[in-house]
Amino acid sequence: MDTVLVLFEQYKLLTVFLTVFAATLGVPVPALPLLLLAGAEAAHSGAYGAEALAAATLASTFSGAIWFAAGRRLGRRVLALLCRISISPDTCVRQNELSFAQRGATTLLIAKFVPGLSVIAPPLAGAIGMSVWPFLFFTTVGAALWAACCIAAGAIFHAQIRELLRALSNLGNAALLVGAVLLGLYIAWRYWRRWLAIRSLARLDHIEPHDLAALLERGEPVAILDVRGLASRATQSPRIPGSHNVELAHLETTPLETWPVDGEIVAYCDCPNDASAAKAAQILVRRGRRTRVLTGGLEGWAKAGFPVVML
């Protein structure tokens, strides 16, 4: 943080641009504190405030365009990469797919205000096939709203921000220690939540791909549910033959008679730790239907050599 402050004093607009660009790419740098500091500076210079707003908006839009292009070209592969390097990969894509399903392109207007969504939203928009110009419009407006709110907050509380900076300067290394402890506690809390989710997943019934194939070969009544999200269903992608596309958000109200009453249900997805399939199984088990999770999801099925069909 001290390095960023020194750079800010020397290269104000360039520091705003580079820091926001890096942060919106996913690099863990302090964009919000820097924008608040830019707002405090803007309290004494309205022209600088407008320049900082333009720099932050341009940086955020530029990084978003890079992720959008990656999403259009690589689809779920780039989403899987982002989820694997995040602290809570099991649900990051699923939550954001539901946001797009509920709000459409306007999700991009609020993306920067929601932790996790800010980085995932652009590649997800590309993966689900959003057009370029609507994406650029909504992501630019959303970035401008976010930057404007941060800079305005810094301008309103400029006196308090200056006092805080002086206090941190007086604390010296102790301020870094407090920040490191708080960051460590936050990461530990997130990993604890992830451990609880994995523990809950381990209690669910699973079925291996070859066991499912054997059930199908014997002609037993099995309903296979494809609970993958929008990014998989919006483009040409493989699926298990005979599977039913089901939106996870609607499973609570879907009539159970939709699937054979005397058979079982197998849910699959293509997400880390089979998270969406596990969520579907939890919902259906709670509603009284025996449901198992396909181990490894669609990728595990294909790797075992069993056939897939294209959507």
Side-chain angles (χ1 to χ4, degrees):
M1 184 66 182
D2 289 341
T3 302
V4 173
L5 289 175
V6 171
L7 289 173
F8 179 79
E9 290 298 327
Q10 295 180 356
Y11 310 101
K12 289 184 171 63
L13 287 178
L14 180 60
T15 306
V16 168
F17 179 88
L18 293 178
T19 303
V20 171
F21 177 72
T24 50
L25 272 182
V27 180
V29 293
L32 176 59
L34 190 72
L35 287 176
L36 292 174
L37 186 59
E41 188 76 15
H44 306 290
S45 171
Y48 172 77
E51 292 170 348
L53 174 61
T57 302
L58 180 62
S60 181
T61 301
F62 187 30
S63 65
I66 292 174
W67 278 125
F68 177 79
R72 293 196 73 169
R73 183 173 180 81
L74 301 175
R76 292 197 69 89
R77 283 179 288 173
V78 71
L79 299 176
L81 172 64
L82 285 172
C83 278
R84 285 190 174 93
I85 64 178
S86 72
I87 294 176
S88 54
D90 301 334
T91 57
C92 63
V93 170
R94 166 56 56 187
Q95 291 172 341
N96 297 318
E97 284 175 333
L98 291 178
S99 181
F100 268 96
Q102 294 167 358
R103 303 181 183 90
T106 57
T107 296
L108 295 167
L109 296 178
I110 63 169
K112 295 294 183 292
F113 296 92
V114 182
L117 180 58
S118 58
V119 176
I120 290 288
L124 181 56
I128 65 176
M130 183 180 291
S131 299
V132 174
W133 292 114
F135 167 79
L136 289 176
F137 172 77
F138 283 105
T139 200
T140 301
V141 173
L145 287 173
W146 169 70
C149 288
C150 295
I151 292 172
I156 293 170
F157 298 103
H158 66 278
Q160 291 84 350
I161 290 173
R162 293 295 180 188
E163 287 295 326
L164 177 61
L165 290 176
R166 278 193 288 269
L168 290 176
S169 179
N170 292 334
L171 284 174
N173 291 334
L176 295 177
L177 178 61
V178 171
V181 169
L182 292 175
L183 178 61
L185 289 173
Y186 171 74
I187 293 175
W189 173 70
R190 294 298 295 269
Y191 272 109
W192 177 70
R193 288 189 60 190
R194 182 181 177 187
W195 176 80
L196 289 178
I198 293 174
R199 184 180 177 187
S200 176
L201 174 64
R203 290 197 292 264
L204 294 170
D205 288 335
H206 286 67
I207 184 170
E208 296 295 328
H210 62 271
D211 292 327
L212 175 59
L215 289 178
L216 295 174
E217 187 176 349
R218 292 197 299 268
E220 298 190 22
V222 181
I224 307 175
L225 305 187
D226 179 350
V227 295
R228 293 176 297 165
L230 294 172
S232 294
R233 298 201 297 269
T235 56
Q236 281 286 100
S237 63
R239 66 180 176 90
I240 297 175
S243 60
H244 306 276
N245 290 328
V246 178
E247 179 53 57
L248 189 59
H250 301 154
L251 267 184
E252 292 280 7
T253 56
T254 301
L256 295 178
E257 297 76 15
T258 302
W259 308 293
V261 177
D262 57 343
E264 68 172 300
I265 299 173
V266 175
Y268 77 89
C269 61
D270 57 0
C271 46
N273 294 328
D274 301 320
S276 295
K279 180 63 176 177
Q282 289 172 332
I283 293 172
L284 292 171
V285 168
R286 190 165 59 243
R287 297 186 65 192
R289 290 301 302 270
R290 187 192 178 198
T291 306
R292 291 196 275 180
V293 175
L294 179 62
T295 302
L298 180 64
E299 183 179 1
W301 174 268
K303 281 185 176 180
F306 297 114
V308 296
V309 295
M310 299 302 293
L311 282 171

